[in-house]
Amino acid sequence: MAAAITSSAAFAQSNVTLYGIADAAMGKVAGGKFGMISGSGLMANTPSRVGVRGTEDLGGGLKVGFQLETGINLKDGAQQSIGPTFWGRQSHMWLSGGWGTFDMGRTFAPTFSAISAWELTSMANYSAVRKTYGDIGGSRNSNQFSYSTPNFSGLTATGGYILKNDNAGKAKWDVNVIYRQGPLTASLGVNKQQTEKTGYVVGGRYNFGNYAIVASYSDNHGKRAGLSIGGQMRLNAWTLTADLVRDTKNNVAPKKYTNGLLEAKYALSKRTFMYAAYLRLDGGNNYGLGLRHNF
């Protein structure tokens, strides 16, 4: 009886949630033919996924949590994660308290979180900044130990580290500093892996009423670097976004490019929207029209 009561009490303090995104589009990628796009396809808004996450209140201000997430391609229902593993999108656990959060496993790289803090499309597959300069070191890190500070009047910081024995003999560190207060969001993300140059990105976003403007500078480990500027307007159920990116350095192509994105989204509900996007990327034209539902 005591064991049953204890178990019930512990369960009452736990919270496990099944969640996901379904996203599919039709469109055309430069060099390809018109057709259906899903999963990690360039002109889909985001990869479809299913995940489970949970937390338990340990008392005394402590909480423990976990997250497992895998990808799905709606074209044929195939599992489509990031990397070779089933739970390649997310597989990590954390312990948090008034002192901050300690996290272990495969999860977002701190630099990726720094970019997503201000990026206008919420890091869509067709984000002009993201597709031009990558995620400055990858969107996720495996085998990452990380610590995130508490929120100090809008200011937070996260530092991640991957031991060389967990990363093919090359240690890696990744940090961010993010400021969110009122209409202003600004961030810095920096990372470095042994034998590579340091990569970094700095950017900011300012919201005023139904409008927002952003600007950033990215340097992908000395391979490619440049500036971005963009704006967004919200009008009832519509969200219109324009983003422009210009190379200042490009060592991976014979020329510097000016890339641009136009995106329109129409909210059908709080969880479902239609979208249309056009991306000019390194001289190629890409477009898509799709539907996304969060559950």
Side-chain angles (χ1 to χ4, degrees):
M1 177 66 74
I5 293 174
T6 302
S7 176
S8 297
F11 182 79
Q13 298 175 26
S14 300
N15 179 17
V16 177
T17 302
L18 179 70
Y19 70 93
I21 295 174
D23 188 312
M26 61 184 78
K28 184 179 183 300
V29 175
K33 296 182 179 180
F34 185 86
M36 186 175 179
I37 304 171
S38 185
S40 58
L42 175 59
M43 295 313 294
N45 180 268
T46 193
S48 300
R49 71 205 61 174
V50 172
V52 59
R53 57 191 170 207
T55 59
E56 182 184 9
D57 190 338
L58 302 175
L62 287 178
K63 290 185 179 180
V64 65
F66 74 93
Q67 183 180 20
L68 303 171
E69 185 178 285
T70 189
I72 303 171
N73 192 323
L74 296 190
K75 292 176 66 173
D76 55 9
Q79 187 271 338
Q80 188 177 56
S81 198
I82 298 175
T85 56
F86 184 84
W87 297 112
R89 292 193 59 85
Q90 300 280 350
S91 55
H92 62 117
M93 65 182 304
W94 64 89
L95 183 69
S96 66
W99 42 268
T101 301
F102 176 69
D103 196 310
M104 298 182 292
R106 177 170 172 80
T107 186
F108 289 124
T111 296
F112 178 87
S113 298
I115 302 171
S116 63
W118 47 260
E119 205 279 328
L120 288 172
T121 69
S122 299
M123 299 299 272
N125 286 355
Y126 47 70
S127 161
V129 173
R130 188 178 188 194
K131 297 311 296 184
T132 303
Y133 303 114
D135 296 316
I136 315 297
S139 60
R140 294 162 178 79
N141 287 325
S142 295
N143 304 300
Q144 178 176 273
F145 297 96
S146 64
Y147 167 74
S148 298
T149 69
N151 189 315
F152 298 106
S153 300
L155 185 68
T156 62
T158 298
Y161 191 78
I162 302 96
L163 298 167
K164 68 177 183 179
N165 292 334
D166 292 327
N167 194 41
K170 298 178 181 179
K172 180 180 179 180
W173 57 263
D174 197 322
V175 299
N176 73 34
V177 178
I178 301 174
Y179 178 78
R180 294 185 179 96
Q181 191 77 323
L184 176 64
T185 299
S187 70
L188 170 68
V190 186
N191 61 48
K192 188 180 190 313
Q193 181 172 277
Q194 281 181 319
T195 72
E196 290 187 357
K197 293 183 178 179
T198 301
Y200 66 92
V201 56
V202 58
R205 173 174 177 161
Y206 191 85
N207 297 314
F208 48 101
N210 293 326
Y211 302 89
I213 55 173
V214 301
S216 71
Y217 182 80
S218 305
D219 188 320
N220 190 349
H221 305 90
K223 302 169 187 174
R224 190 171 186 178
L227 299 160
S228 82
I229 186 169
Q232 189 173 79
M233 178 179 69
R234 298 180 183 273
L235 184 63
N236 297 321
W238 288 96
T239 302
L240 306 176
T241 300
D243 225 351
L244 192 65
V245 179
R246 174 61 185 174
D247 285 335
T248 57
K249 176 197 300 182
N250 192 346
N251 294 328
V252 296
K255 60 178 288 187
K256 299 174 183 177
Y257 286 98
T258 298
N259 294 331
L261 170 73
L262 295 174
E263 179 199 51
K265 295 194 294 190
Y266 183 81
L268 299 171
S269 72
K270 291 183 178 180
R271 297 185 298 168
T272 305
F273 63 81
M274 298 178 63
Y275 60 90
Y278 167 76
L279 174 66
R280 176 72 173 180
L281 179 65
D282 294 351
N285 297 312
N286 312 269
Y287 59 88
L289 175 65
L291 179 67
R292 169 174 160 169
H293 172 70
N294 299 338
F295 60 89

